Amino acid sequence: MGKIAIVKLGDGSFEQGFTVTLQIASEGLRPHISRDGNLPPAPKIPQHYQHWQKVYRSHTSGMRISKDGLEAQITDMLQHKPKHSLNLLHKD
């Protein structure tokens, strides 16, 4: 059976640090270890996170399919190959 670590952030900020509670549990069971502590200040984390988001989005921008985009693909498929598309829908 695996272990699960839960870190609960309490009051604080990136400039001042955070209070935290660490809980450890076996999968499917309640935590059997709980320890309180503090994380030190780390004021650059929000800036690093924003940079990561920007890089991530630039690499994945062409991979997302919106609801409208998916509907357009289905409509296009039905217009160009209606017989094949209908067969796919009615396969048992």
Side-chain angles (χ1 to χ4, degrees):
M1 187 175 273
K3 299 281 185 185
I4 297 173
I6 303 162
V7 178
K8 295 182 178 183
L9 294 176
D11 293 333
S13 68
F14 289 107
E15 289 76 27
Q16 298 174 358
F18 289 92
T19 60
V20 295
T21 300
L22 169 67
Q23 296 179 330
I24 299 176
S26 295
E27 280 187 79
L29 299 176
R30 300 183 121 207
H32 58 275
I33 296 175
S34 183
R35 300 286 186 266
D36 294 326
N38 296 295
L39 290 176
K44 292 186 178 182
I45 286 181
Q47 178 184 351
H48 292 306
Y49 178 66
Q50 288 173 355
H51 175 72
W52 173 84
Q53 278 184 315
K54 188 181 205 180
V55 171
Y56 178 80
R57 287 180 180 148
S58 73
H59 290 295
T60 61
S61 63
M63 294 185 207
R64 296 180 184 180
I65 297 177
S66 66
K67 180 182 174 192
D68 294 336
L70 184 58
E71 288 173 357
Q73 287 178 3
I74 291 171
T75 302
D76 187 50
M77 183 177 69
L78 290 172
Q79 288 174 349
H80 289 92
K81 298 183 179 180
K83 186 176 181 181
H84 175 72
S85 300
L86 291 175
N87 288 339
L88 289 175
L89 294 174
H90 293 292
K91 260 188 177 174
D92 290 334

